[in-house]
Amino acid sequence: MCTEATPRVSRRGLMRTSLAALTAVAAAAAPAGWNDADLITPADFAKRLGQKDANKIAIFHVGFGVLYRSKHIPNSVYVGPCNKPEGIELLRKAAARLSKDQEVVIYCGCCPWDHCPNMKPALAELKLLGFKRLKALMIQTNFSADWIQHGYPVENGQG
């Protein structure tokens, strides 16, 4: 016979716990319209940048120039907003010099992920061009909150 008291959990407490667990799972999954295989988190990419062969990664900033000029990921190349044909053309030109097997990461960080006008067109274009090792850096809130404030590497620059 068990003599220990079993903690009682109220229905409201159980619902809160369940909601918190579901929220955590949803946050870890790929956002709607995206495939997990296409994405890399800021923490994982920051670790990747610390590896000895990180200089072989082609990193494209597909956002607005004011953001790039403020701070950007070291060794990233500014191609401009990919929500316009001019940005897509600049992305094509920057990617033309690369092997289709080269590791490529794109990022923006202009606004919350689900509102970003630049990432989906950039990713779609690079896939059409045949890049096989392509990732989109999933910046949930913005570049400052999800990259800079975490202490990940940045440099000032021109765009």
Side-chain angles (χ1 to χ4, degrees):
M1 179 168 168
C2 181
T3 58
E4 289 184 34
T6 302
R8 298 190 105 190
V9 178
S10 70
R11 185 176 285 168
R12 180 176 286 165
L14 184 59
M15 289 178 72
R16 283 185 190 146
T17 302
S18 298
L19 182 59
L22 287 172
T23 301
V25 168
W34 291 88
N35 181 334
D36 280 330
D38 293 333
L39 305 175
I40 188 166
T41 66
D44 287 341
F45 189 51
K47 285 179 199 167
R48 176 68 185 96
L49 290 175
Q51 295 174 355
K52 65 180 179 179
D53 64 341
N55 62 335
K56 295 180 181 176
I57 306 168
I59 309 168
F60 296 125
H61 183 269
V62 299
F64 302 100
V66 65
L67 296 173
Y68 187 86
R69 287 187 298 273
S70 173
K71 293 200 184 314
H72 58 266
I73 296 173
N75 301 315
S76 62
V77 173
Y78 174 74
V79 297
C82 285
N83 65 336
K84 297 184 178 182
E86 309 85 62
I88 292 293
E89 186 56 34
L90 289 171
L91 179 62
R92 279 188 203 122
K93 286 180 183 176
R97 62 181 173 80
L98 305 176
S99 160
K100 303 299 186 216
D101 292 320
Q102 185 166 349
E103 186 176 359
V104 177
V105 175
I106 59 169
Y107 77 100
C108 180
C110 69
C111 58
W113 180 262
D114 58 348
H115 291 92
C116 182
N118 300 306
M119 293 295 288
K120 280 189 178 182
L123 186 72
E125 184 62 30
L126 290 170
K127 282 184 171 186
L128 281 174
L129 293 173
F131 286 91
K132 298 175 183 102
R133 298 177 61 209
L134 175 62
K135 295 285 185 187
L137 180 58
M138 191 172 66
I139 298 175
Q140 289 285 3
T141 308
N142 60 51
F143 188 66
S144 177
D146 298 331
W147 189 269
I148 297 170
Q149 292 177 21
H150 286 271
Y152 300 144
V154 294
E155 63 185 11
N156 297 330
Q158 305 197 7

